[in-house]
Amino acid sequence: MKIGIACYPTFGGSGVVATELGHELASRGHDVHFISYALPSRLNLFQRGVSYHEVAVPTYPLFNYPPYDLALATRIVDVALHEGLDVLHAHYALPHAISAHLAREMLLPRRLAVVTTLHGTDVTIVGQDRSYLPITRFGIERSDAVTAVSEYLARVTREVFDPVKEIEVLPNFIDPERWRPAEGSRRRSCFAKEGERLLLHVSNFRPVKRVLDVVEVFDRVRRELPARLLMIGDGPDRPAAEELCRARGLAGIVHFLGNTPAVEEVMPTADLYVLTTDMESFGLSALEAQASGVPVLGYRAGGLPEVIESGTTGFLRPVGDVAGLAADGVALLRDERAYREASRAARARAVGLFDADTIVERYLALYERVLAESGG
Ligand code: GMT
């Protein structure tokens, strides 16, 4: 198949999932064409079957707001015609599903199937804003198929948009070879001294991530055990998190690494992963942690309970319960046997339920179905 993927190129989860899916599809012999305004952060252009088509957005004095959606639609048409796309997979509803629909109309009578994957705030925040709700609903209804990354997100989508279109759940996935427990602690010594526990958080530091809660959890843990915290990523709440660390005297044991590439090399060096988002549709990084054998501390919110089995692969607490999460973490770190079992269970759950092979086959079956339905 020839598959176009329209996505955000940034470090966020929707772009990461789109990129990983593209790589998996290409490795199965499909031609995959990424369409975005910049090179997706995890995209490997050296893989056979993967190409990238940049969307340029020319400005004009009248354009106070350069129309990216229109430039994207035009680029999708161009790629569809010249590369012979069968399917366009839009990741994150706005503007990708709308631009895809527009492109499909422009291409008629040539057929282009459109699949949209909803990732999270495209439904829970952006999509619910009155300014965007009708157009998000339109994008959903006009797609040939719509998927959501968790049962939770599918349920919210049905509640908010009451769509006629069926919302299918295709969860996020991991490559168990890439995300795996570390053998030996060679890299770990770069981040923590002998005898210190290592906690890790990765995100785009948006308010929804509640990164100050990560620091609060860590602050309580380190009062009980020697520990360090790695904070990977960047975003609006990073300065506040750094300031809190300085105010608490944690600056020497909390390390902000910024947008570090190859997170899969850092992840397995951690003892615990902390994700205190108050609404996470799925929590891809929590899945990556579990696949790396790292138990997760998080809030019982959104789709996280579908990813983490509280008491087995980590611990979930009500939003804001930093003391509870810290207590769970300390208890686990103090009990070597329980820790080993949680680490093993985390890996087993990630590989058993979210293995790339299974989920990518389901995406392929979906593409084939929409193509068959549309006579393609
Ligand atoms: O929806 C967002 O906030 C953006 C999106 C992204 O691009 O970072 O994140 C969402 O998609 C990820 C991949 O499917 C999920 O793992 C994240 O849970 C989800 N983020 C939220 O729901 C806050």
Side-chain angles (χ1 to χ4, degrees), residues 274-297:
V274 189
L275 186 64
T276 51
T277 320
D278 58 22
M279 195 302 301
E280 194 73 61
S281 70
F282 183 91
L284 180 64
S285 63
L287 175 61
E288 293 169 340
Q290 291 186 119
S292 310
V294 181
V296 180
L297 304 177

Side-chain angles (χ1 to χ4, degrees), residues 12-14 17 92 119-121 149 172 206 279-284:
S14 64
V17 170
Y92 203 94
H119 280 274
T121 53
V149 296
N172 290 333
R206 282 175 301 162
M279 195 302 301
E280 194 73 61
S281 70
F282 183 91
L284 180 64

Side-chain angles (χ1 to χ4, degrees), residues 353-370:
L353 295 181
F354 304 103
D355 177 34
D357 280 346
T358 312
I359 311 296
V360 173
E361 283 309 315
R362 290 181 60 194
Y363 272 116
L364 277 168
L366 180 65
Y367 297 160
E368 272 157 15
R369 196 189 81 210
V370 293

